[in-house]
Amino acid sequence: MSWKEWYDSLLKPEWTPEPATIGLVWQILYPIIFVTFAFVLIQAIRKKVPWKSALPFMINLAANLAFTPIQFGLRSLFWAAADILVVWGTIIWMMVAIWKYYRWVAIAQAPYLAWVSIATVLQLSISWQNWPG
């Protein structure tokens, strides 16, 4: 069965966004994420921010990129739920870590945090509703 057929077969909350909506939101967020993450990385390389302030950005990027292969490749709802909790937690960590250096970068993460908060509740709901047993 294809990943789409598998995903469509899962129990989901009634408020689950349509795939087109999810795609549109990510098309808006990814440029913001790219610009702010690249900016922080460059500032860390230039030693304008400590590497410990760039660390949550790097962890977040890795976890964000891992979500799709975990969810749709491995089809592991448990690990996808764990991964999205890492994504969500590192966004908060990023905002706190960069605030005193570049507040605009922290503020720019607000839409990302809002969307991932919704996505986290959605993923946890889907994982719970489809838990084996």
Side-chain angles (χ1 to χ4, degrees):
M1 139 181 351
S2 74
W3 69 266
K4 181 153 180 17
E5 292 169 326
W6 170 78
Y7 183 73
D8 288 345
S9 74
L10 296 174
L11 298 172
K12 295 182 255 339
E14 292 179 16
W15 54 269
T16 301
E18 292 295 321
T21 302
I22 295 170
L24 176 62
V25 171
W26 283 113
Q27 285 179 337
I28 294 165
L29 290 177
Y30 276 133
I32 297 167
I33 294 167
F34 175 78
V35 168
T36 57
F37 284 34
F39 178 81
V40 170
L41 180 61
I42 290 167
Q43 298 314 310
I45 291 167
R46 291 180 174 172
K47 299 184 180 183
K48 300 214 176 190
V49 298
W51 278 102
K52 68 180 182 177
S53 294
L55 180 62
F57 288 84
M58 293 184 281
I59 295 170
N60 179 273
L61 181 61
N64 187 320
L65 293 173
F67 180 81
T68 298
I70 292 169
Q71 172 85 336
F72 299 108
L74 298 176
R75 298 180 184 179
S76 174
L77 296 174
F78 174 81
W79 289 113
D83 181 77
I84 203 159
L85 286 168
V86 171
V87 173
W88 183 81
T90 54
I91 296 170
I92 295 168
W93 182 16
M94 291 172 356
M95 294 171 81
V96 170
I98 204 65
W99 180 261
K100 74 178 187 175
Y101 302 101
Y102 296 100
R103 288 187 178 161
W104 72 268
V105 173
I107 293 166
Q109 303 314 308
Y112 184 27
L113 178 61
W115 179 250
V116 171
S117 295
I118 293 166
T120 300
V121 172
L122 177 62
Q123 182 61 43
L124 294 174
S125 297
I126 292 170
S127 297
W128 178 262
Q129 289 179 355
N130 293 278
W131 196 259

